[in-house]
Amino acid sequence: MSIRVMLVDDQVLLRTGFRMVLAAQPDMEVVAEAGDGAEALEVLAGTEVDVVLMDVRMPRLDGVEATRRICLQEGAPKVLILTTFDLDEYAFSALKVGASGFMLKDVPPAELLGAIRAVHSGDAVVAPSTTRRLLDRFTPMLPSTTKEPASAELARLTGREREVMLLVAQGLSNGEIAARLVLSEATVKTHVGRILTKLGLRDRVQVVVLAYESGLVRAGGGAG
C-alpha cells in the first residue's frame, strides 16, 4: 500500500515541486494539500493520511499549532516538519508537540523521500545530527512538557532500556546500537518499542526530546 502524503505549505510552487517528486515514487501518493494549518485540519477531518509534510511559518494557523492539534488525535498521521532554517525555534517547538522530525526545504529529493519512509515506519530519527544540534540550542530555553517528573518516567525503564534510550538520543541507528551493545538488531528494535510504550511516546524523536529534558543527555550529545 502506498504511503499517503499530505502537503501543507502556503507556497503553491513548493507544493507543486514536492508533489512532482512524490508522484514519481511507486510507494507514495499525494492525497491532499493545504495552504495553512487551519485548512490542513479541515482537510484531515475527511482524508486518510499517513504522513504530513508541514511548513512551520504560515498565515492563519502556523505549523506548530497545527502539528500539536494533529498529534492529539487518535490514530494521527506522522508529521514531518519542513523548514527554511537549519536551527529554527519553530521546528524545535514542533518536535516538542509531537512532530516526528524535520527536514530543510532544500533537501535533496532522495533524502526527503527517505525521511518520509523513515517517519512512516517510525523506525528512525530524521536527520539525527541536526535534531541534536537543534535540541542543544533550544532545550534550556523552553519548559518541560512532560506530564510528571522525568525521573519518575525514566524509573519505568530497565537498565538495558536506559542504555538503549541513551544511544537513541545520541543519534545512533538500531544497527549501530546493536553493534555497540552486542545485541541483535531485532532485540534493539524490541527495546525501542518497549521504551516508547512505557514512556507513552510516539517515536524516536520524542525519545530524544525526553532524554534532553530529563538530563539523561546533556547539550552537546554526551551522557548526563
Side-chain angles (χ1 to χ4, degrees):
M1 180 182 292
S2 294
I3 301 173
R4 297 166 295 191
V5 180
M6 180 179 189
L7 306 176
V8 184
D9 197 300
D10 59 337
Q11 298 184 49
V12 177
L13 284 178
L14 272 176
R15 296 206 310 267
T16 300
F18 287 136
R19 189 191 323 118
M20 291 175 64
V21 171
L22 270 58
Q25 304 305 305
D27 61 339
M28 296 184 191
E29 178 186 6
V30 176
V31 296
E33 296 185 31
D36 58 53
E39 184 182 359
L41 292 171
E42 294 170 3
V43 174
L44 278 172
T47 308
E48 293 288 333
V49 174
D50 298 313
V51 177
V52 178
L53 295 187
M54 178 77 75
D55 187 21
V56 285
R57 305 187 184 204
M58 297 178 291
R60 289 213 297 166
L61 188 69
D62 66 33
V64 175
E65 178 59 18
T67 297
R68 185 187 71 81
R69 297 186 192 182
I70 289 170
C71 292
L72 287 175
Q73 299 172 8
E74 187 172 350
K78 300 294 181 68
V79 178
L80 177 59
I81 295 296
L82 296 173
T83 177
T84 306
F85 306 100
D86 192 353
L87 292 179
D88 187 339
E89 69 275 17
Y90 286 87
F92 176 79
S93 297
L95 292 179
K96 293 272 286 185
V97 299
S100 294
F102 78 99
M103 299 292 288
L104 297 178
K105 287 186 176 180
D106 61 357
V107 66
E111 290 186 26
L112 175 65
L113 297 170
I116 292 171
R117 294 183 180 107
V119 166
H120 180 248
S121 71
D123 199 34
V125 173
V126 178
S129 60
T130 307
T131 300
R132 287 203 311 277
R133 286 192 290 114
L134 195 75
L135 289 163
D136 288 345
R137 175 170 175 176
F138 293 112
T139 295
M141 303 180 190
L142 296 178
S144 170
T145 57
T146 54
K147 297 177 182 178
E148 58 182 300
S151 58
E153 295 213 343
L154 296 180
R156 302 173 189 170
L157 304 180
T158 66
R160 177 65 85 185
E161 287 165 353
R162 286 173 64 95
E163 284 184 287
V164 172
M165 180 177 178
L166 175 61
L167 296 176
V168 168
Q170 292 176 339
L172 275 66
S173 67
N174 284 354
E176 291 168 334
I177 295 172
R180 181 77 62 89
L181 299 180
V182 195
L183 300 170
S184 71
E185 193 165 340
T187 298
V188 172
K189 189 170 183 178
T190 297
H191 283 311
V192 172
R194 288 175 179 164
I195 291 167
L196 296 177
T197 299
K198 287 184 177 182
L199 301 182
L201 304 176
R202 284 171 55 91
D203 51 40
R204 295 168 74 105
V205 168
Q206 291 197 332
V207 171
V208 177
V209 171
L210 179 59
Y212 273 71
E213 289 182 337
S214 68
L216 186 63
V217 173
R218 295 191 302 264

